[in-house]
Structure formats: C-alpha cells, structure tokens
Amino acid sequence: MTTTVFSPTRRHWLGLLTASAVLTVAGCSTETPVKLANLTVQDLDGNPVSLGDYAGKPVAITFWATTCPGCVAEIPHMTALYQKFASKGVQVIGLAMSYDELGQLKAMVADKHIPYTVLQDKTGAAAQAFGPVRLTPTFFVLDGKGNIRYQKIGPFDTARVDQLLTELTTG
C-alpha cells in the first residue's frame, strides 16, 4: 500500500476545489442582496423591464438558454413552481441569456407552453449582478429583501426549493 502525501499548498487547493464542488452540487445561500432595482432586462417584445418591479416578494429565477438541453429539461420544474407558488406571491422568472434571440424565445414559450414570466438579459447586466452567471441553467431563490437564499448551477433540488419557498411564503 502506498501513501500519498500532499503539500500544504496542494491540500489547500484540494480543499477549496472540494468545497466548491459541494456548493455546486448542493446549492448554497448567501446574505448578499442582489440589487434588482438597478437591473433592466427586456420582455419578449423587446420592451424594458426593471427587475426592481419584482422586489419585495420571493423570486425563483433561472438563467437559461433555448439551446441548453438542461435548461429545456428544467422547464417542467419551473412550471411546477409557478403552479404551486405564483398564487402565494412568488415571482417565477426564466431569464434568457443575452445570446438568445427573441424569436427563439417566443417559439420556445409557445412550444413548451411556459406559463411563468420569460425575460431576456440582452445586455448581460443581470447575469453579471448575480455572480456572474456563466453557465446555464443557473437557478436562484431570492427572499423578499433580495438576498440569495439558494443558488444552483445545473438541475436544482426541487424538494429543497419547494421547502424554502414554502417557508418564505408562510413566515
């Protein structure tokens, strides 16, 4: 049996990589608010929409793209969140990346019967403010103060998000 000895520097980097992987897989929360009032995106007709209009209530938001298979697979889960929590005041938003064309977005909304709000981050400013977001799908839950309570790259934990949104809408 051989024993591998890692230098302190290598152990440090391995620890950081492990912690990063755990947060990526499990989702995480912070108490850092996203300044929604400063962010303008556009609706599917190209009209400006202030994300500040969604402040004050919980928000479930995913950064996605029409060409991303994981994003398309996430649509039924986002739809389920909308169906369960929209009547309780949760804003459910699909925020398309800057490279998605409005025509593609409209076609996807129609084809997949997406009931929740779909907007486009045409300038990339929202993706920058949330991280920056570089990979899709990237999902967030914000509380009414704009604090990130859950963040996940890739498929989100539906049970955990359901529990969190229940807490945010009943307490």
Side-chain angles (χ1 to χ4, degrees):
M1 182 170 135
T2 59
T3 303
T4 305
V5 177
F6 294 116
S7 70
T9 301
R10 190 166 182 182
R11 277 194 307 267
H12 171 78
W13 285 110
L14 286 172
L16 287 175
L17 287 172
T18 300
S20 175
V22 167
L23 289 175
T24 298
V25 170
C28 65
S29 65
T30 68
E31 291 301 318
T32 304
V34 176
K35 293 179 175 53
L36 296 177
N38 300 336
L39 298 173
T40 300
V41 295
Q42 66 180 8
D43 66 17
L44 296 182
D45 293 320
N47 299 313
V49 175
S50 172
L51 288 182
D53 294 346
Y54 299 100
K57 295 183 180 178
V59 177
I61 186 168
T62 189
F63 285 81
W64 72 294
T66 58
T67 56
C68 162
C71 301
V72 175
E74 185 181 67
I75 291 171
H77 302 293
M78 293 292 291
T79 298
L81 288 179
Y82 174 81
Q83 290 169 340
K84 183 169 184 176
F85 291 104
S87 64
K88 298 177 182 179
V90 174
Q91 306 296 314
V92 179
I93 302 169
L95 188 53
M97 300 300 280
S98 61
Y99 48 83
D100 255 329
E101 297 295 324
L102 288 178
Q104 288 174 286
L105 292 168
K106 288 179 183 181
M108 180 72 72
V109 168
D111 183 53
K112 300 293 183 184
H113 307 287
I114 297 175
Y116 51 87
T117 302
V118 174
L119 303 168
Q120 184 194 37
D121 185 18
K122 185 65 177 171
T123 66
Q128 191 64 33
F130 273 80
V133 172
R134 293 192 175 109
L135 300 173
T136 57
T138 299
F139 178 84
F140 296 88
V141 172
L142 306 178
D143 63 20
K145 296 178 182 175
N147 295 314
I148 297 172
R149 299 290 301 273
Y150 179 86
Q151 174 181 347
K152 180 73 173 60
I153 297 171
F156 61 87
D157 181 336
T158 55
R160 184 169 174 195
V161 169
D162 190 275
Q163 178 184 10
L164 177 58
L165 290 174
T166 298
E167 291 170 10
L168 290 174
T169 56
T170 59

